[in-house]
Amino acid sequence: MKYTFSNRLRIGSFIAMGLGAIFLILGFLQAPSTVEEAKAIAMAAHDDGHHGESHATDTSGHENHADESGHASNEHAEDAHGEGHGASHDEHVFHQMQNRPWAALYVAAFFFFMIALGTLAFYAVNRAAQAGWSPLLFRIMEGITAYIVPGGIIVFVILVLSILHMNHMFVWMDAEVVEHDHLLQGKKGYLNPTFFIVRAAIFLGGWIAYRQISRKLSLAQDNADDNSNFKKNFKWSAAFLVFYLISESMMSWDWIMSLDPHWFSTLFGWYVFASMFVSGITTIAIVTIYLKSKGYLEQINDSHIHDLAKFMFGISIFWTYLWFSQFMLIWYANIPEEVTYFVFRIEHYKLPFFGMLALNFIFPLLVLMNSDYKRINWFVIMVGIVILFGHYLDVYNMVMPATVGEHYGFGLAEIGGILFFGGLFVYWVFNTLTKEELMPKRNPFIEESRQFHY
Amino acid sequence: MASNKVIHALYTDDDILMNAVKKVRAAHHHIEEVYTPFPVHGLDKAMGLEDTRIAITSFMYGCLGLAVAITMMNYIMIEDWPQDIGGKPSFSYLDNMPAFVPIMFEMTVFFAAHLMVITFYLRSRMWPFKKAENPDKRTTDDHFLMEVGIHDNEDELKQLLLDTGAVEITVTEKEG
């Protein structure tokens, strides 16, 4: 059966995109354009004990926290430093405030792109492992991975704009900063704008190429007389996984870790991978349950949902394992050059930093442990939404402290980013789903998948 | 007592056994026990056995293990002798918690796994030197045996079991 895009969903996605774009523009307008303006906003925040309009939607926890430690350390810093330092401090604050809408845009753009990429990895794993349960879900996964094309291009454009000095998210892109930074000079061989953008182009090119080739072979298999397309797809998927694991790891150094160019962590690539993998699987489950509830997927039974929920459960724990391994090793050894990363986050991002652990670990652990609950559709949807928000927060925690520092919040720009890219994601994914039959017709494992029962 | 008499029907194929179980249940005879050389998928459902609750016990044992680990380390490391060991903050349990997580995790798994296994042994009455209970040695190799209680309906039951594809039928007095 072919999927017809429901009008409500299509209009909803357009409204989300429009609202999101307006919010984002407002977010950009709210950002200060001069140092004086930034100073005024910072001063106003000091005087009122509030964070200004952009922080109006903050939870009270944030504000209290900012009042207690953020402001105290600000004042302390201002008292301690002389006049000359005060000016450079002002400029620093100005850059951070200017970064706010950019970082919000980047977090949302990367988050939705990461869902598509995680789904692509899951899809390739299922093809390479010749999984018997999942072939019925391939079209849905292909629909989600379609977003990798627009989403990847947008992320790429943001990176190019960063190189063109439209923002100050990546400090190492600023030649003047590098000039006075011995450590950044040492990393210049890897972290330089040309090599950076070439790498990004290679990664994106590779991922998009595999996605298009695999989709084409997958569709060709439906009308073929033999399994040659299936075999080719198997080989492409195995090769892609090798390329993906290398490129994904380097991508995480480039696009996220280099926001904190003085900091490094060896398992960072795995950590980002786990985050995108679980988000991708969760999105597959949510889209599948949505389509099933609309009566499009009669052959998908509870056991398929059960399997997806098991993956959500397992990879959530895998993510936590990597999060904790990274945190605990650095906390335990307490080497100053590494530990500042977490010191800053725990001091200034307490609620998002630990809140994400509750959302990404404790909640799915307790809720998805029961085998029966993994078959209840609304249960899986509910946990899925919590997991997706938790992993948005995860990206937020990786990007925001490095780009806006203490001047963070959850305001127009952040909500606008989620709405805009969420709308685009929904539109693109469901529009792709209308293009082909939702059920693959011919695949060596299709009958096994139909009969799949756990 | 007549109720101690049971009928033993032997089968050589698990598919035939499954069908036989369904037919005997449909005829409202109580199946005392089925002996198989390997797990037959779906046999428990066909026999109408209740789901196991061993996973729930395991979860509770895991919680117990976590509690033991936390109590133990909080007492030893924080309350009893809060030494400064390499600058680790032993002011409160939470301050030093990351260092305790590996032990908390392992203790949870240890308790959950071992106590669940012991529960399994106790519930299924398995221990060393236990007298084996299989009524026919062939059920450990390639035969399947269904045991049905006789309540003054020996002939009728025999006929039913033969119809389901039993290769051998014996009537025995059950011990104990």
Side-chain angles (χ1 to χ4, degrees):
Chain A
M1 203 190 318
K2 263 196 174 173
Y3 172 66
T4 37
F5 207 152
S6 91
N7 255 332
R8 269 162 81 193
L9 195 64
R10 192 204 303 267
I11 292 166
S13 70
F14 280 130
I15 291 173
M17 267 189 272
L19 263 183
I22 293 168
F23 282 9
L24 274 171
I25 292 166
L26 285 177
F28 274 96
L29 291 177
Q30 268 180 359
S33 48
T34 60
V35 178
E36 281 67 42
E37 230 176 285
K39 228 171 152 181
I41 294 174
M43 287 299 285
H46 272 279
D47 294 343
D48 309 345
H50 277 290
H51 248 174
E53 275 176 286
S54 60
H55 286 239
T57 48
D58 267 4
T59 61
S60 58
H62 270 171
E63 285 189 31
N64 288 341
H65 172 73
D67 288 344
E68 284 158 20
S69 56
H71 286 205
S73 69
N74 256 356
E75 274 155 4
H76 178 72
E78 271 166 27
D79 292 344
H81 295 306
E83 278 293 303
H85 235 98
S88 78
H89 173 77
D90 288 340
E91 197 179 329
H92 181 62
V93 169
F94 167 57
H95 281 171
Q96 289 190 327
M97 284 183 171
Q98 262 195 329
N99 271 342
R100 170 86 189 275
W102 280 100
L105 180 78
Y106 187 57
V107 169
F110 182 80
F111 173 69
F112 284 99
F113 168 74
M114 154 179 124
I115 290 177
L117 187 58
T119 305
L120 189 67
F122 188 67
Y123 171 81
V125 167
N126 274 289
R127 283 219 173 262
Q130 308 202 348
W133 66 280
S134 56
L136 284 184
L137 297 167
F138 278 168
R139 286 286 177 279
I140 296 156
M141 296 188 208
E142 285 162 12
I144 296 170
T145 57
Y147 179 76
I148 206 171
V149 182
I153 290 170
I154 290 172
V155 170
F156 189 78
V157 167
I158 296 175
L159 295 177
V160 170
L161 292 178
S162 301
I163 285 178
L164 296 175
H165 303 296
M166 300 287 284
N167 59 58
H168 305 276
M169 286 201 296
F170 297 86
V171 284
W172 58 266
M173 287 176 183
D174 195 335
E176 214 176 294
V177 172
V178 177
E179 213 175 292
H180 297 103
D181 194 317
H182 186 65
L183 284 171
L184 290 187
Q185 282 166 20
K187 298 185 182 184
K188 233 176 153 180
Y190 186 79
L191 283 184
N192 63 70
T194 322
F195 191 21
F196 177 83
I197 210 69
V198 168
R199 283 197 305 266
I202 293 171
F203 302 156
L204 279 169
W207 301 332
I208 291 174
Y210 165 70
R211 194 269 158 192
Q212 303 299 36
I213 291 168
S214 182
R215 165 80 162 179
K216 218 172 134 193
L217 289 168
S218 175
L219 294 179
Q221 173 71 23
D222 268 9
N223 304 314
D225 305 324
D226 60 2
N227 290 331
S228 62
N229 292 303
F230 175 82
K231 285 181 195 161
K232 272 187 212 157
N233 217 344
F234 166 78
K235 284 177 190 159
W236 274 107
S237 301
F240 165 76
L241 284 173
V242 175
F243 172 76
Y244 169 78
L245 282 179
I246 297 167
S247 56
E248 187 276 334
S249 192
M250 293 176 76
M251 175 275 276
S252 72
W253 310 335
D254 282 5
W255 299 2
I256 296 179
M257 204 159 78
S258 84
L259 292 164
D260 285 286
H262 283 181
W263 182 77
F264 40 84
S265 164
T266 37
L267 61 71
F268 197 74
W270 275 109
Y271 173 66
V272 174
F273 162 74
S275 203
M276 70 171 64
F277 208 47
V278 71
S279 309
I281 294 165
T282 305
T283 309
I284 298 170
I286 290 176
V287 173
T288 306
I289 291 172
Y290 171 78
L291 290 175
K292 191 170 151 63
S293 77
K294 296 284 168 196
Y296 286 104
L297 304 172
E298 273 159 26
Q299 297 177 10
I300 302 278
N301 56 42
D302 283 354
S303 294
H304 293 101
I305 306 296
H306 188 151
D307 256 32
L308 285 169
K310 273 193 282 189
F311 270 109
M312 283 161 65
F313 175 73
I315 310 294
S316 281
I317 291 169
F318 177 63
W319 173 88
T320 315
Y321 167 68
L322 291 174
W323 177 86
F324 182 71
S325 300
Q326 177 169 276
F327 172 73
M328 197 262 233
L329 282 183
I330 290 173
W331 172 87
Y332 209 108
N334 205 20
I335 299 172
E337 61 188 68
E338 286 176 359
V339 84
T340 45
Y341 184 84
F342 287 114
V343 168
F344 190 83
R345 277 158 180 78
I346 290 173
E347 256 178 33
H348 300 290
Y349 285 72
K350 205 160 238 145
L351 184 67
F353 189 70
F354 291 111
M356 120 184 132
L357 262 191
L359 298 180
N360 289 345
F361 173 58
I362 298 172
F363 187 73
L365 174 84
L366 294 177
V367 172
L368 286 182
M369 193 178 310
N370 190 319
S371 179
D372 296 332
Y373 292 174
K374 288 194 270 257
R375 293 168 173 270
I376 302 172
N377 288 348
W378 66 266
F379 235 97
V380 177
I381 293 268
M382 178 189 65
V383 184
I385 290 167
V386 170
I387 289 178
L388 284 183
F389 183 67
H391 285 279
Y392 172 83
L393 263 188
D394 187 17
V395 180
Y396 185 92
N397 277 318
M398 289 192 277
V399 173
M400 284 293 178
T403 49
V404 304
E406 294 162 42
H407 307 278
Y408 72 101
F410 200 77
L412 279 179
E414 283 78 8
I415 294 169
I418 294 177
L419 281 177
F420 179 77
F421 288 103
L424 183 66
F425 183 85
V426 168
Y427 175 73
W428 207 277
V429 168
F430 284 91
N431 193 40
T432 312
L433 288 173
T434 61
K435 297 271 163 65
E436 298 293 337
E437 294 282 325
L438 280 178
M439 288 293 125
K441 282 197 280 288
R442 195 175 181 288
N443 178 311
F445 295 105
I446 199 81
E447 198 49 40
E448 183 180 341
S449 186
R450 277 197 196 111
Q451 307 290 337
F452 177 64
H453 175 76
Y454 170 76
Chain B
M1 253 178 79
S3 61
N4 262 353
K5 265 172 107 182
V6 289
I7 199 159
H8 281 165
L10 275 159
Y11 298 85
T12 50
D13 188 284
D14 49 343
D15 276 344
I16 297 171
L17 174 78
M18 284 286 281
N19 283 328
V21 166
K22 281 172 196 157
K23 271 186 205 156
V24 173
R25 290 233 325 144
H28 299 295
H29 293 290
H30 179 67
I31 301 173
E32 304 268 339
E33 193 67 85
V34 175
Y35 296 86
T36 65
F38 52 78
V40 178
H41 190 74
L43 184 61
D44 53 337
K45 287 224 168 59
M47 286 173 71
L49 298 180
E50 267 182 56
D51 280 344
T52 172
R53 288 170 296 179
I54 201 151
I56 299 167
T57 68
S58 182
F59 178 77
M60 294 192 290
Y61 296 144
C63 293
L64 176 70
L66 185 64
V68 167
I70 292 174
T71 317
M72 175 183 77
M73 284 181 296
N74 185 49
Y75 176 70
I76 297 172
M77 302 300 292
I78 308 295
E79 283 175 9
D80 189 35
W81 199 352
Q83 277 191 109
D84 182 341
I85 303 167
K88 284 279 159 286
S90 46
F91 309 111
S92 76
Y93 191 78
L94 213 57
D95 274 333
N96 211 1
M97 201 195 63
F100 302 145
V101 165
I103 298 154
M104 285 154 67
F105 171 78
E106 293 295 344
M107 290 286 266
T108 308
V109 175
F110 179 87
F111 273 66
H114 288 82
L115 292 181
M116 177 178 76
V117 167
I118 293 168
T119 306
F120 169 73
Y121 285 155
L122 290 176
R123 287 294 288 143
S124 39
R125 300 171 185 285
M126 281 164 64
W127 54 82
F129 312 114
K130 148 122 184 169
K131 197 171 170 290
E133 279 172 350
N134 53 324
D136 191 312
K137 274 180 185 165
R138 287 172 294 171
T139 60
T140 63
D141 183 16
D142 61 349
H143 278 65
F144 305 81
L145 190 149
M146 190 198 298
E147 183 178 290
V148 187
I150 295 174
H151 305 278
D152 301 326
N153 52 358
E154 196 176 319
D155 295 332
E156 178 205 346
L157 201 53
K158 260 186 183 168
Q159 195 51 49
L160 176 74
L161 289 168
L162 279 172
D163 288 346
T164 61
V167 290
E168 195 182 313
I169 286 182
T170 44
V171 177
T172 47
E173 197 82 21
K174 207 179 180 185
E175 290 170 31

